[in-house]
Amino acid sequence: MRQGISEELIERILGKPEWTIAGLEEKFPVRNLPEGAMVTRFAPSPTGFMHIGGLYQMLINYKMAKQSGGVFMLRIEDTDTKREVGGAIELILDTAYKFGLMPDERPVFDQKQDMKIVDLPGSKYGPYLQSQRKDIYHSVVAELLAGGAAYPCFLTQAEMEEIRDKQKSSGLPTGIYGEWAKYRDFTEEQILEKMKDLGDDFKPSIRLYSTGNPDQKIFCKDGARGSIGFPENNEDVVLIKSGDDLPTYHFAHLCDDHFMRTTHVVRGEEWLSSLPLHFQLFKMMGWTPPVYVHTSTLDKIDSETGKQRKLSKRHDTEASVSNFLEDGWPTDAVLEYLLNIVSSGYEEDKAKDKSVNLWNYPVKIKKIPMSGALFDMQKLEWWAKEYIGKMNIDDLTAYVIVWGNRYNLEWEKIIKGKEDYLKAMLSIERDNPKRIRKDFITWKQTLSEIEYFWDDLYILNKEFEYNKNVLDAFVRGFDINDSKDTWWNKIIEIANLQDVKNGDVAMNLRAAITGRTNTPDLYSVMQVMGQARVVKRIQQVIG
Ligand code: GLU
């Protein structure tokens, strides 16, 4: 350790700390939860984009907290002011809300205060926005400065770049460590001198005074991967940044996860390499580290190269959660697929036991995949088809109406007073529980599947080569009250008389009344459309 710096100097650099560490320990007491209850958090940066991998993490965190009787928090990691995007926090909350993964503790917008972000009433471990927690970080770092575990650093951007270049050309690890850390051992006097030179407005960064030795190993435990040996960290990482006074991720997460009393940190595998530093920080503070679980990326098979690769925010539409909402994927089906990735036995267990569902099936830390898990749209389609197939008809109708109202501008006009007609369309081929149609995937696609039922959306098929005699014969004998057998016998009769196949008659009828050559059971379609509509459409074709 180095010699600590004086209270006056700390105040000059950081302002007067609001708390002591002991005071913070009291303010955020250890949670009174039953043994084994997990406290988890989803901690996104507000980038304005919700990646499917973020939803995956949200689900794991939510489940771990819920299944253990614990607490699930949302913490917004907004210390990178350059990356901040308007509306990003709303997007995160909206996603949690729409997927039914609302955190127990979280920030909310307060209407009374012109939408200022405040803590949800009852959330006692906040603020839940890192930018509102400055006083906590400063209070902790003040004690580190006083004890010599941290120091002010005056390196400029240009100097750091120079150091980096030199290290690179000599084949050395890059970073500020050992002899490169020029201000590491500056005395109080030297610091004062430097501050005088730079002027009162200059704020140094605060760096960790690392005592790690990379020739030695530190063993860090990952909940899913087990114990991993890393070289000890010797980098004097930045704890508080110089320009905006905000903490780095490393330091913020240390203070936050400790004082929010997080027991389990589930985060992306890009953080795995920071684990030795994070263990070092917890050890230095004398705090128990949380159980870390690093999730793998969600991948796809690249259609051009045939190789498995990470889902890309820029190139893959399936990387964006907003797209799934806009296309009307049933949110539970998306979650079921993600759950099946996290807990690979879900699909089988659900098939065996009817009582198993998305919300009661547990996530087991040890089973969380550790390397690139495939997120396959075809697999997702299967989950969506199964999900919609099993839905009761009233729910299905309600979902389609709600989605239409939200995303389809024409829809309100179409659906007004026609809810029963919609329900009847959606009911086709759903009466036999063993053979329910499985071609509905998303609400958007469901709407387009049934489009032809609506007179305003039906499109006359001009390409089809109709046999007008067949259509004419049918329309003359058509009676909506006919049983299916009678209806079919009439078709056979027409086929015989006109010397065509039964299937040709059916295909002519199908093309005429739906405009399509592929539809569910034609008799049911006609039953739903009713006598007048069927006749009108056929007559329109006959001309
Ligand atoms: N803000 C970090 C990220 O988005 C959070 C990592 C964590 O969960 O600790 O990657």
Side-chain angles (χ1 to χ4, degrees):
M1 275 314 141
R2 44 169 280 127
Q3 177 123 54
I5 60 176
S6 70
E7 219 171 286
E8 296 76 48
L9 183 49
I10 293 173
E11 269 187 43
R12 251 184 85 180
I13 299 172
L14 291 170
K16 195 170 167 56
E18 184 150 353
W19 308 94
T20 58
I21 293 178
L24 288 168
E25 296 286 358
E26 246 172 72
K27 181 172 159 63
F28 302 113
V30 172
R31 291 171 186 264
N32 188 7
L33 291 170
E35 170 113 24
M38 297 180 190
V39 179
T40 62
R41 84 296 188 280
F42 177 51
S45 301
T47 59
F49 184 86
M50 261 308 289
H51 195 285
I52 189 77
L55 184 65
Y56 177 66
Q57 280 183 16
M58 206 191 265
L59 174 68
I60 301 173
N61 277 301
Y62 176 92
K63 283 215 146 263
M64 280 169 44
K66 296 291 154 181
Q67 74 200 28
S68 65
V71 178
F72 173 44
M73 302 178 280
L74 172 67
R75 180 171 78 227
I76 304 293
E77 305 218 322
D78 58 345
T79 56
D80 190 350
T81 36
K82 280 185 235 101
R83 286 176 65 203
E84 217 168 310
V85 177
I89 299 174
E90 287 88 334
L91 178 70
I92 294 162
L93 285 168
D94 188 58
T95 306
Y97 177 67
K98 290 194 176 134
F99 282 86
L101 301 175
M102 226 20 177
D104 307 301
E105 296 179 8
R106 60 178 190 268
V108 287
F109 293 89
D110 186 2
Q111 291 204 11
K112 281 197 306 297
Q113 299 189 64
D114 196 17
M115 301 314 261
K116 180 171 177 248
I117 299 175
V118 297
D119 298 346
L120 178 76
S123 298
K124 298 201 183 97
Y125 288 79
Y128 295 83
L129 238 61
Q130 286 183 331
S131 58
Q132 296 178 354
R133 298 173 65 82
K134 235 184 210 182
D135 53 346
I136 298 176
Y137 310 124
H138 283 201
S139 304
V140 176
V141 95
E143 289 195 27
L144 296 183
L145 284 168
Y151 67 92
C153 171
F154 302 91
L155 284 174
T156 61
Q157 205 55 40
E159 280 175 302
M160 283 191 285
E161 271 159 35
E162 202 180 308
I163 291 174
R164 202 183 158 77
D165 289 345
K166 277 194 197 149
Q167 289 169 330
K168 273 190 157 169
S169 58
S170 330
L172 291 168
T174 55
I176 305 303
Y177 56 87
E179 73 212 66
W180 304 97
K182 188 162 138 195
Y183 299 100
R184 190 175 149 85
D185 291 306
F186 257 39
T187 61
E188 175 112 2
E189 291 67 37
Q190 287 173 302
I191 296 170
L192 278 170
E193 190 72 19
K194 189 79 192 164
M195 287 183 57
K196 213 159 92 203
D197 282 358
L198 292 168
D200 264 355
D201 286 344
F202 184 87
K203 295 257 181 230
S205 60
I206 312 292
R207 283 185 186 269
L208 168 74
Y209 187 85
S210 181
T211 51
N213 173 1
D215 295 335
Q216 281 178 17
K217 270 202 166 166
I218 172 170
F219 284 88
C220 308
K221 199 164 169 262
D222 173 283
R225 294 159 209 254
S227 186
I228 311 171
F230 293 91
E232 280 183 8
N233 166 64
N234 66 337
E235 246 191 275
D236 287 357
V237 290
V238 174
L239 305 177
I240 302 284
K241 296 181 273 177
S242 73
D244 51 17
D245 248 12
L246 283 165
T248 53
Y249 167 75
H250 307 300
F251 189 58
H253 118 278
L254 166 83
C255 300
D256 295 344
D257 284 321
H258 177 69
F259 288 118
M260 290 176 150
R261 308 296 176 183
T262 308
T263 63
H264 290 71
V265 167
V266 179
R267 62 183 181 186
E269 68 182 4
E270 66 274 20
W271 294 110
L272 191 61
S273 57
S274 305
L275 206 50
L277 166 65
H278 296 164
F279 268 78
Q280 179 187 18
L281 293 175
F282 272 94
K283 190 162 174 217
M284 170 185 86
M285 302 303 302
W287 297 340
T288 312
V291 175
Y292 287 96
V293 182
H294 294 89
T295 59
S296 66
T297 52
L298 292 184
D299 295 354
K300 73 180 284 184
I301 303 291
D302 190 290
S303 56
E304 275 168 32
T305 64
K307 293 211 177 93
Q308 184 164 338
R309 64 160 173 82
K310 214 164 119 174
L311 277 177
S312 140
K313 168 176 166 177
R314 220 169 288 149
H315 304 296
D316 302 314
T317 49
E318 68 265 46
S320 160
V321 174
S322 305
N323 287 343
F324 288 98
L325 291 170
E326 271 158 37
D327 288 345
W329 286 84
T331 50
D332 278 11
V334 176
L335 292 183
E336 286 203 281
Y337 178 40
L338 290 175
L339 178 60
N340 198 56
I341 295 176
V342 189
S343 295
S344 58
Y346 176 56
E347 185 183 334
E348 272 162 53
D349 290 349
K350 191 179 161 155
K352 272 190 249 142
D353 179 355
K354 292 263 167 310
S355 69
V356 167
N357 66 40
L358 162 66
W359 302 106
N360 66 17
Y361 196 76
V363 159
K364 295 201 182 79
I365 297 179
K366 291 222 157 48
K367 284 183 93 180
I368 296 178
M370 283 178 275
S371 62
L374 264 193
F375 183 82
D376 176 354
M377 286 305 281
Q378 272 173 346
K379 252 312 204 169
L380 174 62
E381 280 188 11
W382 180 85
W383 280 95
K385 286 177 182 172
E386 288 291 313
Y387 181 81
I388 298 181
K390 292 203 178 80
M391 209 171 218
N392 82 49
I393 186 65
D394 289 323
D395 285 350
L396 173 55
T397 311
Y399 271 102
V400 171
I401 292 178
V402 167
W403 189 85
N405 285 344
R406 185 183 283 262
Y407 290 103
N408 187 327
L409 296 178
E410 302 293 308
W411 178 247
E412 261 175 73
K413 218 172 64 207
I414 296 168
I415 187 67
K416 201 152 184 247
K418 304 266 179 51
E419 289 83 356
D420 288 344
Y421 185 38
L422 173 69
K423 185 167 162 181
M425 301 169 200
L426 294 171
S427 301
I428 293 175
E429 290 184 19
R430 291 181 81 86
D431 37 6
N432 180 354
K434 290 211 183 77
R435 288 194 40 221
I436 300 239
R437 69 187 287 194
K438 295 257 174 74
D439 58 343
F440 294 147
I441 306 168
T442 67
W443 310 132
K444 186 182 189 173
Q445 171 263 356
T446 301
L447 277 186
S448 77
E449 278 305 304
I450 57 175
E451 222 164 44
Y452 55 80
F453 280 96
W454 308 103
D455 295 332
D456 287 349
L457 303 179
Y458 157 76
I459 303 168
L460 187 70
N461 187 337
K462 296 197 177 123
E463 246 102 90
F464 193 83
E465 289 178 17
Y466 296 99
N467 181 333
K468 293 193 180 171
N469 293 337
V470 160
L471 292 175
D472 189 50
F474 179 84
V475 95
R476 273 191 277 123
F478 176 56
D479 182 350
I480 194 78
N481 296 315
D482 283 347
S483 69
K484 191 165 186 177
D485 284 344
T486 311
W487 172 82
W488 185 241
N489 286 335
K490 286 183 177 175
I491 290 183
I492 297 176
E493 209 174 301
I494 297 170
N496 291 338
L497 279 171
Q498 303 289 336
D499 200 18
V500 294
K501 289 191 190 128
N502 302 344
D504 290 338
V505 178
M507 195 50 96
N508 266 277
L509 295 171
R510 179 172 282 120
I513 65 168
T514 70
R516 302 185 183 188
T517 49
N518 196 351
T519 68
D521 178 57
L522 190 60
Y523 175 77
S524 311
V525 171
M526 289 193 186
Q527 287 294 308
V528 169
M529 284 187 174
Q531 177 89 18
R533 186 176 278 110
V534 171
V535 170
K536 194 173 142 212
R537 290 194 183 177
I538 295 177
Q539 278 169 347
Q540 210 177 326
V541 170
I542 300 173

